[in-house]
Amino acid sequence: MASIKLNNICKHFDQVEVLKSVNIDIQHGEFVVLVGPSGCGKSTLLRSIAGLEQITSGDIYIGDTRVNELAPKDRDISMVFQSYALYPHMSVERNMGFSLEVQKVPKAQIKKAVKEVAESLGLTELLDRKPKALSGGQRQRVAMGRAIVRDPKVFLFDEPLSNLDAQLRVHMRLEIKALHQRLQSTIIYVTHDQVEAMTLADRIVVLNGGIVQQVGPPLEIYDTPTNLFVAGFMGSPSMNFIKTTVAEAGGEFYLETQTGVKLALLHQYQDLAVGMRICCGIRPEHILILNSTSGHLQARVKAVEPTGISEQIYCSFEGADLCIYSMQRTDCKENQSVSLQLDLQRLHLFCADSGQRLQQWPSIAENVSLGQASASS
Amino acid sequence: MNTLVTQPKSQKKIDLQRFLEPYLYLSPALIIIALVIITPTLVGISYAFQSIELLNPFNGGWIGLTHFKTLFSDRYFFSALANTLDWTLISLFFQFSLGLGLALLLNRKFAGRKLVQALVFLPWAVPTFLSGLTWAWLFNPIIGILPHWMTSLGMLPEPYNILSDPHLAMYGPIVANVWFGIPFFAITLLAALQSVPSDLYEAAGIDGASSWQVFVKITLPFLAPMIAITVMLRTIWIANFADLIIVMTSGGPANSTQTLPSYIFTTAYRRLDFGYASAMAVMLLILLLLYTAILLKMRSKLSNGD
Amino acid sequence: MSIIVFTNFLKSVAHRFAILLYLVFALFPLYWLLKIAVTPDKLLYSEGVKLWPSEFTWVNFELVFTQSEFPTFFMNSAIVSSATALLTTLIAAAAGYAFCRFKFRGKLIITGLLLVTQMFPLVMVLAPIYKIMAPLGLTNSLLGLVIIYTAFNVPFAVFLMQSFFDGIPRDLEESAMVEGCSRFQALYKVIIPLTLPGMAATLGFVFTAAWSEMLFALMLISDSSVSTFPVGLLNFVSKFAVQWGQMMAAGVLALIPACIFFVFIQRYLVQGLTAGAVKG
C-alpha cells in the first residue's frame, strides 16, 4: 500500500486539453472517488495513473517513486475495468492467478493465493468455469478477485458497477466497501454515479472539463459545494437554483427574485453588494409545501413523482423548475398552486457571473466562542 | 514490496521506443511489398522504354517511345482493348445482377439455408485454372454436354465447340467468369442486406409498401454505397483477370478472345518480349487509373450535389 | 384469406425454384468433372451425354496416383501454399496489429499503398519479376513462388487480420499490461490466443489463393519437378489432351484442398470479403 501524489498533471489529445493541471494528494489507505460527467477526464486521469495513457506534463508518484516513465506492469497496481476485461480463454482460476503467473510465482503458491481470495469472495465453486459461463455479478467479483490476488500497492476501479443492474449494484457497492475496510488498501475509484461516490468515498474529487472542481469528504461536498457545477452535480434530485439580485433594506441584505419575491439572508456573506446577481441554491429536501399561503413563494405543480418512500414534486416558479423532496405524501395535483417554505438557514449563494460560492462570515455565535477561547488561553 | 525490476528509462528513450514500435510490427509487410511489388513495378515501367527481348539479347538498350509508337499501329492491341471492354462489361453485368438476385434469395429464412449457402458459394473456392478447364471441357462436344444441349435448344446448328468459333468464343470465358464471380457479389451484398435494420422493413410494412416499393425505396438506397465500391473494385479486378482466358482459349481463335492482360501475358511468356509487354502494361495501368479517377470524380460530384 | 395463403405458397415455391436453379448452375460443372473422372474410358464417347455412366470406376484416380507426376505437383502445391499461408499470416498479423492498436505517422499513406496493390495489374510485374528472380536462382524454385505469393497476399491479409484484432476489446490487453505483462507478453498470452480463429481463417484464405495461382507459376516454372498443380495440369492438357478421365481425376484432386479450406473458412467469408471490399 502506498500514497499517491499527482503534481500538475496535464494531458492533451492532439489539440484538446483533457486534463488541466490536476493536483491531488492521496493518503495511504484512503478510498478516493473521482466523479464527474462523461468526458470530464476522470477515466483519463485514472488511466494515466495506471500508465495506460502518457501524460503531457506533471509528475505522478506512487509511494516515493516517480512513475512517469514506468510501464504499467512495473507500477504495482491493479485495475478493475468497466468491462471487467476477463480473459475469455482462461478459467476463473487462471484469470485470478494471471498476474502471479506472469511474475513466474511457483504454481503451488499461485493456487494457494487464488484459493484464499476465492473463498473470501465466494468464488470457490466457480474456479473451473470460463468467464462466458458467469453472470454479470460473478464476473465483477472475479475481476475484483483478480485484482486482490496481485496484492498491489494501489487498486484502480474504472466504473466497475455500471454494467450491473440496480439491485446488484447496491450489493456490490457494499462488498467493495467491506473489501476496503478489510484490506485497508489505497483505492482510486472512477464513477459518474454520485450515489456511488457519496457512499463509498473517504474523499471525493469532483472533476469537470479536466479541472478539479472540489476535493473533500462526501458530506462536506454535499453541504458546501464550492461552485455551481458541484452544487448541481452532487445530489439526486439535484439542487434547485433561483435567479436573484441582492438588495438592501435597513442595513440588512436580502435577495430579490425576478418577480420581486424577497428572501431574507440569515448569514453574513463575504463580498456581498447591492445589485449583485446571485444564483440562490436550495436542496429539494429543504423546501416544504405549506397548506396555507404563508410560504416564501407561490408556485404551480407540474408533476408529482411518488416513489413510495418519498415524493418528488416538480413545480414551476418564474419559468424555472423547482424540485421538492418530501418524505410525507402531499396529495398535490398537477396545475395546483402551492405555497413553498424555504429553509433559509440552508441557502447556498453563488455568484451568477463566476459561479463561485459566496463564503459566509463565521457566525456571531462562533465569533463569540472564539473570543472566549482566546480570552481564556 | 517496492521491488522495481526495470530501471526507469529516460523519457526521450521511451518516446523513441513508442514512436518506433508500430513500424517494427509493420516492417516485414512493408519490406516484402516494397521488394516484390513496388520495385518490379518501377522496373517494369522503365522496361516500357527499353528493348528487352530474351530471345534477342543483343538488341537491348533505351529506345524511348518506340514501343508506344508500335502499340498505336498494332491492330491486335486495339482489338484486345475492345475485347477487354466486352469481357469486363458483360461479365460484370451478369455477375452483379445474378449475385444480387442470389443475395436477395438468401436473405430470407428457409430450411437448409446454411447448406445451400455453402454449396452455392462453392464456385468461388474453385481454383481459377480448374474453373477454366472445367468449363472448357463442358464446352467440348466430345466430353461436354453443353454443345448438345445448345443444339437441342436450337442455339447451335450442330454440336461443336464454341471456343473455336471466333464469333462465339468470348462467351466461353465469360460464362466461366460469371459462374466464378456470382458468389463474390452475393456474399458482399448479403452482408450489406443483413445490416439493413429490420425496423425499417417493419415500418415500411406498416405503411403498406409493396415488396417492390420496399426494395426500391429502402433496400437499394441502403445497399448503394456497398454496390458502388464493390462494382468499382470488381471492374478493375475483372479487367486485370486473364487466367480464365489463358486456360480456355489462350486468346484464340484468331485473337478473338485476346484481352489486354492476356495479350500482355502472351507477349511476355511466349514471345519473351518484356519491353513491349511492359509498354502495354503501362497503358493498361494508365487506363485503369483514368477509370478510377473519373469514377471518384463522379462520386464526389454526386455527393456534393446532395 | 385463402387467396393470401395461396399467393404465399406460390411465392415460396418460386423462391425454392429460383434457389434450385442457382444450385444447379453452381454445382453442375463440378458434378460433370466428377462424372467424367469416374467414367471408364471405353464408355466416354458412347455415353458422353448421359448424366451418369452405366459403369463406374476409380481407375482414373489410380492412374493419376501411380502413373503420372501429379503426386509431385500436388506435393509442390501443398508445400508452396502452406508456406505462403504461414508466412503471410505471420507478417499480416504483425501489421494488422500495428494498424489496430497504434496511431502512427503515415498510417493513411500505408493504407493507401496497400489498397493500390490490390488493384494493380498483375501482368505489369510478370516480366520484371522474372528478370529480377532469374539471376537470383529463384525461377524454377518453390521458394521464389512462396516469396511472390506472400507479397501479393499480404495486403488483403493485413486488412483481414486488422478486422479480427479490432474485434478484441482493448481492455483485455490493457488489463494484462497492468497485471504485469509487457506489451509483447500481453500480445502472445492474451491477444494471440483470442485471434486464433481469425488467423485460421486468414491461413485458409491465403492457402486457397496460393493454391489457385497460375500466371506467376507458368511464367517462373518450367521444370516439371518443381511444377505446381496448375502448371502440371495445363502442361498435361496440352500434351495428352485425350486422356480425359485422368485429367478430370486430377482436377477433382486439385479441388479437394480448396473445398476443405472453403468449408473451414466459410464462416468468415462475409466478414473477410466485407472488410476487403470496404477497405480494400
Side-chain angles (χ1 to χ4, degrees), chain A residues 137-177:
Chain A
Q138 288 168 334
R139 284 179 205 188
Q140 221 285 317
R141 213 168 295 158
V142 172
M144 268 166 44
R146 187 171 69 176
I148 297 168
V149 168
R150 180 160 198 211
D151 189 20
K153 280 187 199 157
V154 180
F155 286 92
L156 306 178
F157 286 85
D158 191 1
E159 310 219 15
L161 302 184
S162 52
N163 285 346
L164 299 178
D165 63 52
Q167 241 177 341
L168 206 50
R169 205 178 303 171
V170 173
H171 179 74
M172 290 311 295
R173 211 161 68 197
L174 290 171
E175 276 199 27
I176 291 177
K177 188 137 193 167

Side-chain angles (χ1 to χ4, degrees), chain A residues 10-252:
Chain A
C10 294
K11 163 90 186 163
H12 305 245
F13 278 128
D14 299 326
Q15 299 300 315
V16 187
E17 263 188 289
V18 195
L19 295 173
K20 295 172 196 162
S21 190
V22 171
N23 288 292
I24 305 172
D25 277 349
I26 294 166
Q27 303 302 314
H28 167 100
E30 198 175 17
F31 196 133
V32 169
V33 175
L34 305 179
V35 69
S38 55
C40 70
K42 56 189 191 296
S43 278
T44 308
L45 184 58
L46 191 79
R47 291 165 56 80
S48 303
I49 298 170
L52 297 171
E53 302 273 358
Q54 287 301 296
I55 52 174
T56 312
S57 65
D59 295 307
I60 302 173
Y61 289 90
I62 298 179
D64 299 325
T65 322
R66 181 169 173 277
V67 296
N68 283 32
E69 283 86 24
L70 284 187
K73 69 185 177 87
D74 298 321
R75 296 191 181 193
D76 200 4
I77 46 176
S78 272
M79 186 153 167
V80 177
F81 289 78
Q82 181 176 2
S83 63
Y84 316 137
L86 299 180
Y87 312 121
H89 58 300
M90 298 181 192
S91 66
V92 167
E93 180 165 11
R94 258 198 86 198
N95 258 291
M96 289 176 65
F98 185 71
S99 58
L100 301 184
E101 182 189 319
V102 176
Q103 292 167 32
K104 304 219 160 54
V105 172
K107 281 227 168 74
Q109 208 176 322
I110 298 179
K111 210 166 174 87
K112 187 164 159 274
V114 169
K115 195 166 160 256
E116 270 171 28
V117 174
E119 267 165 22
S120 73
L121 289 171
L123 292 169
T124 316
E125 307 290 303
L126 307 175
L127 283 179
D128 293 330
R129 295 218 198 147
K130 290 271 172 72
K132 227 183 352 194
L134 301 178
S135 70
Q138 288 168 334
R139 284 179 205 188
Q140 221 285 317
R141 213 168 295 158
V142 172
M144 268 166 44
R146 187 171 69 176
I148 297 168
V149 168
R150 180 160 198 211
D151 189 20
K153 280 187 199 157
V154 180
F155 286 92
L156 306 178
F157 286 85
D158 191 1
E159 310 219 15
L161 302 184
S162 52
N163 285 346
L164 299 178
D165 63 52
Q167 241 177 341
L168 206 50
R169 205 178 303 171
V170 173
H171 179 74
M172 290 311 295
R173 211 161 68 197
L174 290 171
E175 276 199 27
I176 291 177
K177 188 137 193 167
L179 177 81
H180 177 240
Q181 263 146 22
R182 189 155 51 83
L183 298 177
Q184 294 295 318
S185 41
T186 313
I187 295 181
I188 305 180
Y189 186 109
V190 161
T191 181
H192 63 271
D193 177 350
Q194 40 93 19
V195 179
E196 262 172 46
M198 294 292 293
T199 49
L200 285 171
D202 293 330
R203 263 195 314 156
I204 292 178
V205 176
V206 185
L207 274 164
N208 188 37
I211 297 171
V212 174
Q213 306 287 325
Q214 190 170 3
V215 183
L219 289 181
E220 182 187 308
I221 288 192
Y222 190 79
D223 291 339
T224 53
T226 179
N227 58 30
L228 273 174
F229 174 79
V230 178
F233 186 77
M234 297 301 292
S236 171
S238 58
M239 191 185 277
N240 299 301
F241 296 108
I242 303 169
K243 286 181 185 160
T244 63
T245 321
V246 178
E248 190 197 335
E252 295 284 321

Side-chain angles (χ1 to χ4, degrees), chain C residues 144-195:
Chain C
L145 286 186
V146 171
I147 293 173
I148 296 172
Y149 293 175
T150 302
F152 279 92
N153 279 302
V154 155
F156 181 70
V158 170
F159 292 128
L160 203 54
M161 281 312 301
Q162 186 197 348
S163 76
F164 289 121
F165 280 121
D166 283 343
I168 295 175
R170 205 177 267 248
D171 282 1
L172 290 183
E173 198 179 356
E174 291 182 341
S175 172
M177 280 160 62
V178 169
E179 286 198 81
C181 289
S182 62
R183 190 187 276 279
F184 189 68
Q185 275 177 315
L187 186 63
Y188 84 84
K189 276 187 182 276
V190 175
I191 305 300
I192 301 273
L194 294 174
T195 341

Side-chain angles (χ1 to χ4, degrees), chain B residues 124, chain C residues 81-97 149-150 152-165 195-211 261-262 264-269 271-273 275:
Chain B
W124 184 80
Chain C
S81 305
S82 321
T84 305
L86 275 175
L87 196 61
T88 307
T89 306
L90 267 179
I91 293 175
Y97 179 72
Y149 293 175
T150 302
F152 279 92
N153 279 302
V154 155
F156 181 70
V158 170
F159 292 128
L160 203 54
M161 281 312 301
Q162 186 197 348
S163 76
F164 289 121
F165 280 121
T195 341
L196 281 182
M199 293 209 178
T202 311
L203 272 176
F205 269 109
V206 179
F207 185 95
T208 318
W211 185 266
F261 273 103
F262 176 74
F264 189 52
I265 61 181
Q266 227 257 104
R267 209 147 54 92
Y268 300 99
L269 266 178
Q271 189 177 1
L273 283 185

